[in-house]
Amino acid sequence: MAGQALTAGTGGRKRALFGLLDREGWTWASVKAVIWFVIIVMLLGYLPDRAYYFTVFPTIDLGVLVWSPINFCPPSNRTLPCPAPVGAALPWDPSPTELALPSGGRTDGNAVQLGTKLAYIGGSDGKTATDQTYLADLYSGTFGPWKAGPALPAPRSAAAAAVLNSSVYVAGGNGADGKPTDTVYVAAQDLTTGAVGAFAANDALKLPEARASAVMVAAGDGLILIGGTNGTAVQGTVWKATLDPSGKLQAWVPQAPMPAGQEVSEASGALVGDLVYVYGGRGAQGPVGTVLRGHITGGKVASWDIGGGGTNLPVARTRAAGFSANGALYLIGGADDAGPHQQFYWTVPDAKGDLTGWQHLDATDLPVGLTGGSAVVSGSQAFVIGGTTTDQPAVVGAARTNLAPQPPFFQLGLFGATIPALKVGGEIGQQLGYLSAAGVGTVNFVLLILIGWALAHKDRSRAMLERVVRRLRR
């Protein structure tokens, strides 16, 4: 039986995607489904999300911007590279004369933050220890004029100080005779009024031996006092006072000592997670650049290693101002055998607490060499108060930096870009952001409905389009 002949004018099945796929097949249908899924996610998810952040953020990212060869940063970053390295700070600004310490310069004192107040405790005028303390109100990005605070029971310089549970502890230090002491003075802050009470000796926390120029850090469960000098030699002792269930500090208990031959005084120290870092200072032979890392296990300092698992300081520095912020370690100024220096160094430990190297930028150095200053962090601001320079045995002022340089407001990379946004702050910005997201989402939803109707009625859509084109051509 003869087969049925093909009707004249018929051809093969139509092809799609440059002839690669059958237009009526499942493969082309799956490709179209994926394309429309991405379009729907973009219109109803990504674009409304970007509309919200465009309203409330200073910049927004478009695409995946891993690296950009084109970067523009705001003028507030001044002379920093663009973008600024992780952990970098803005150039230092000296404080105005209105913020000078009231009774002359101070060095080897302790600056701490107590709630909304800044305290500078003890120190010396470059010759003799003092019992004076000063308090200042903290504001956004700065602090107010200094006022007299509660005096210490006796003069102290080169003491160790830390804040724990709204109380400030001042441990050891040199007395009026210039010799190390074993006292611990405590003052509590009233959380309701913000007032700082009188300092008093805490006999239960008396040090096992006199210490000056030690490092003290506040842990979640107590205080740790590290190193220092007894007036005769540098010591490697590590003591910890632990909070009991009632919140009271118990007597000091010896911990794992610093490694033999690595004992230091006049060092900087900070606690990051369950690791305590002690860097720089003065060893038995003079200034050092060693980084010591203590491992806290079960609430005790169990062991120490050298180099922080990576790198020591690039230089030897003693009596530097050191602090920690946002997981980074900082060191400002300090001295070696040649005298005070002005360099500012920082490092950011990795997830294991290892140091991969210390960074330095000329733009963030202090205006002059400084040693014996005390650093304190409030929010994104860091202050270095007092100290000694080549020309001043005791500095009356302070220097300030911002630890949060602004990111680039415009970046252009191969697969994305960062562009400026509106940054409307406060509750108004939040509400406007929600309205923007809702508006964009609504418009895009209407567009999807219109596109769906047009695809379902191709002939009518084509005719309507042709009529619009003809009217436009008239």
Side-chain angles (χ1 to χ4, degrees):
M1 182 175 181
Q4 185 177 1
L6 289 175
T7 305
T10 62
R13 301 182 69 171
K14 295 181 179 180
R15 308 291 292 178
L17 198 63
F18 308 104
L20 297 176
L21 302 176
D22 182 357
R23 187 181 293 273
E24 306 299 332
W26 281 105
T27 304
W28 177 235
S30 300
V31 171
K32 289 191 295 182
V34 170
I35 293 173
W36 278 109
F37 176 78
V38 172
I39 291 174
I40 291 171
V41 169
M42 290 289 292
L43 291 178
L44 300 184
Y46 180 77
L47 292 180
D49 176 80
R50 296 295 88 184
Y52 171 81
Y53 288 111
F54 181 81
T55 306
V56 300
F57 275 27
T59 62
I60 61 170
D61 295 331
L62 305 176
V64 180
L65 187 61
V66 179
W67 176 81
S68 170
I70 301 175
N71 302 280
F72 294 101
C73 287
S76 59
N77 282 11
R78 293 149 73 176
T79 54
L80 289 183
C82 183
V86 175
L90 294 182
W92 293 85
D93 293 312
S95 62
T97 56
E98 291 82 1
L99 301 184
L101 293 167
S103 301
R106 290 287 182 269
T107 187
D108 293 321
N110 296 100
V112 297
Q113 181 180 353
L114 283 163
T116 59
K117 291 187 180 297
L118 194 63
Y120 187 81
I121 304 166
S124 78
D125 59 4
K127 297 180 180 179
T128 306
T130 180
D131 62 357
Q132 291 178 319
T133 69
Y134 299 108
L135 298 173
D137 292 324
L138 277 166
Y139 303 103
S140 178
T142 186
F143 57 89
W146 294 101
K147 299 178 182 179
L152 294 170
R156 291 291 182 267
S157 68
V163 174
L164 181 67
N165 293 344
S166 302
S167 293
V168 57
Y169 296 81
V170 180
N174 294 317
D177 58 0
K179 297 180 180 180
T181 62
D182 59 5
T183 56
V184 174
Y185 298 142
V186 186
Q189 184 182 35
D190 189 315
L191 296 179
T192 302
T193 64
V196 180
F199 279 95
N202 187 322
D203 294 335
L205 287 177
K206 187 177 179 179
L207 300 178
E209 185 184 16
R211 287 289 183 272
S213 302
V215 168
M216 185 160 67
V217 297
D221 62 347
L223 299 172
I224 303 173
L225 188 78
I226 306 164
T229 177
N230 62 1
T232 302
V234 176
Q235 302 296 305
T237 52
V238 180
W239 301 321
K240 184 179 181 186
T242 303
L243 292 168
D244 66 12
S246 67
K248 182 180 179 181
L249 281 172
Q250 302 301 294
W252 298 94
V253 175
Q255 310 287 296
M258 306 168 91
Q262 302 298 328
E263 303 87 353
V264 291
S265 66
E266 302 178 353
S268 298
L271 184 71
V272 181
D274 58 358
L275 297 171
V276 58
Y277 298 87
V278 177
Y279 45 104
R282 180 176 295 276
Q285 306 302 320
V288 299
T290 308
V291 176
L292 301 176
R293 182 176 61 175
H295 300 261
I296 301 176
T297 304
K300 297 181 179 180
V301 182
S303 63
W304 291 84
D305 57 28
I306 302 173
T311 321
N312 287 319
L313 284 164
V315 292
R317 289 290 185 269
T318 185
R319 294 178 64 209
F323 64 91
S324 173
N326 303 318
L329 303 176
Y330 296 87
L331 183 135
I332 311 103
D336 57 15
D337 292 334
H341 292 276
Q342 62 194 97
Q343 284 81 17
F344 173 82
Y345 294 98
W346 80 93
T347 184
V348 182
D350 63 18
K352 298 186 295 183
D354 293 340
L355 307 184
T356 56
W358 291 82
Q359 299 188 62
H360 167 259
L361 291 173
D362 291 339
T364 58
D365 287 344
L366 292 169
V368 295
L370 182 76
T371 183
S374 183
V376 62
V377 180
S378 176
S380 65
Q381 305 292 323
F383 306 95
V384 175
I385 303 169
T388 299
T389 68
T390 303
D391 300 324
Q392 294 178 286
V395 173
V396 300
R400 178 188 66 181
T401 187
N402 190 316
L403 301 174
Q406 294 298 307
F409 61 83
F410 178 80
Q411 293 180 292
L412 182 62
L414 184 61
F415 299 106
T418 298
I419 62 173
L422 296 178
K423 193 185 178 180
V424 180
E427 184 66 23
I428 294 177
Q430 293 285 334
Q431 297 302 324
L432 289 176
Y434 295 143
L435 290 173
S436 298
V440 171
T442 301
V443 170
N444 289 344
F445 182 72
V446 172
L447 286 176
L448 283 174
I449 292 176
L450 294 176
I451 292 172
W453 184 89
L455 292 177
H457 303 82
K458 294 181 180 179
D459 293 339
R460 294 179 61 182
S461 300
R462 190 178 298 110
M464 292 174 61
L465 181 61
E466 290 175 353
R467 285 198 299 269
V468 171
V469 171
R470 284 196 299 267
R471 288 178 181 178
L472 293 176
R473 290 177 177 176
R474 291 177 181 177

